Amino acid sequence: MNETLRRTWPSVLVAVVALLYMWIGLTAHGWDRILGLAGGPVVLAALVAAHRSVPGAMVLLAAGALPLAVTTWWSIATPVLAVLVLLLGWFAIRDLGRPQHDAVSVTSLESRP
């Protein structure tokens, strides 16, 4: 597995689960609708915020995932999705928060006189 794929697959999976959260919000009623439709974008914002602040991104991740799971504790789907968001999001934010290694330029590989 190359470096780019290793760094991006958790982010893609978190984005897919965030879309599932918004889909649950579209089909729900009352507070569940509000928390589902708001939780998905907050989880996506956590991925964006990971480039600046890893702890802040973790707070956003939890703030987006946990409220819907708590209000729908009786369901199996939303708590499992929350666990997936937190687990995959931890990997994604950890990888996004690390500085990337710059590619070696061709000019630096040329022999010097």
Side-chain angles (χ1 to χ4, degrees):
M1 181 181 310
N2 65 12
E3 182 68 19
T4 303
L5 184 60
R6 189 191 63 76
R7 288 177 65 99
T8 57
W9 74 266
S11 300
V12 171
L13 291 176
V14 171
V16 168
V17 177
L19 292 175
L20 287 172
Y21 250 56
M22 290 189 284
W23 180 65
I24 289 172
L26 283 175
T27 60
H29 299 285
W31 280 105
D32 298 341
R33 172 172 279 196
I34 294 168
L35 293 174
L37 290 175
V42 172
V43 169
L44 294 175
L47 294 176
V48 174
H51 295 290
R52 290 189 170 221
S53 170
V54 171
M58 292 292 187
V59 169
L60 281 174
L61 188 72
L66 293 179
L68 181 64
V70 169
T71 59
T72 58
W73 60 268
W74 46 266
S75 169
I76 189 85
T78 51
V80 168
L81 286 177
V83 169
L84 283 174
V85 164
L86 293 174
L87 181 66
L88 293 171
W90 181 77
F91 285 114
I93 289 171
R94 185 190 65 174
D95 287 341
L96 291 173
R98 289 183 187 159
Q100 293 183 4
H101 299 291
D102 292 334
V104 177
S105 66
V106 176
T107 58
S108 66
L109 295 176
E110 293 176 0
S111 61
R112 296 185 183 214

